[in-house]
Structures are given as C-alpha cells and as structure tokens.
Amino acid sequence: PFLKWSMAIIAGGGVAAIVQGGTVALRAGSTSTTGGMANPLVSTMELVGSILVTILAILLPILCLVVVIWIGYKMIRKMMKSPFIRRLLG
C-alpha cells in the first residue's frame, strides 16, 4: 500500500504540474490577445475539462491515462514551437 500511494502522489503531482503549466500559458495567451475578455470562457472550459477527466479517471482509469498523456504530448509539442521557449532552450 505504501508504494502504491507513493506512486499515486508522485504521478498526481506530475499531472497537476503539467496541467497548471498549461493553464498559466493559456491564460497568459488569452489575456494578451483579448485583454482578458476571454478569461471567463477559458475558465469555464478548464472547469468542464477537469470534471470530464475526473469522471473518466473514476470510470475508465486506463483510458484516462492515455488521454492525459496525449494532452501532455500535444501541450509540449505546442510549447516547443513557441519562439520564447526556443530562445530559452537555445
């Protein structure tokens, strides 16, 4: 049980960090392009997404893992195309 819960905490923390990073980037983009007018829509979409992932994690955990990995992959690919990230990485 200790190993199982330790791994769950580590994996959950990693997923939370990825999601939080994506949220920060999305809100920054939304604020800079719309002057903050789209932030309520972005916030609502974040809420819907979190509810769907929570339900999916309870009902179909393996599918949820695949979905979370796919979303993370897409986010990383999109971030790597950013000129700001390219300058940071050299």
Side-chain angles (χ1 to χ4, degrees):
F2 178 74
L3 180 62
K4 179 171 83 172
W5 284 108
S6 298
M7 294 303 291
I9 290 169
I10 292 169
V15 170
I18 290 171
V19 169
Q20 185 63 31
T23 299
V24 168
L26 183 63
R27 291 218 181 193
S30 169
T31 300
S32 66
T33 57
T34 67
M37 295 298 290
N39 285 350
L41 178 63
V42 170
S43 180
T44 302
M45 295 309 292
E46 289 172 2
L47 175 64
V48 169
S50 67
I51 290 170
L52 290 175
V53 169
T54 301
I55 291 169
L56 189 61
I58 292 169
L59 299 177
L60 301 165
I62 301 298
L63 180 60
C64 183
L65 177 64
V66 171
V67 168
V68 168
I69 289 172
W70 180 77
I71 291 170
Y73 170 75
K74 293 299 243 181
M75 284 175 44
I76 290 170
R77 279 192 61 198
K78 188 166 185 107
M79 286 189 314
M80 294 308 287
K81 292 179 182 177
S82 165
F84 176 72
I85 299 294
R86 286 188 179 187
R87 274 186 266 135
L88 283 177
L89 297 176

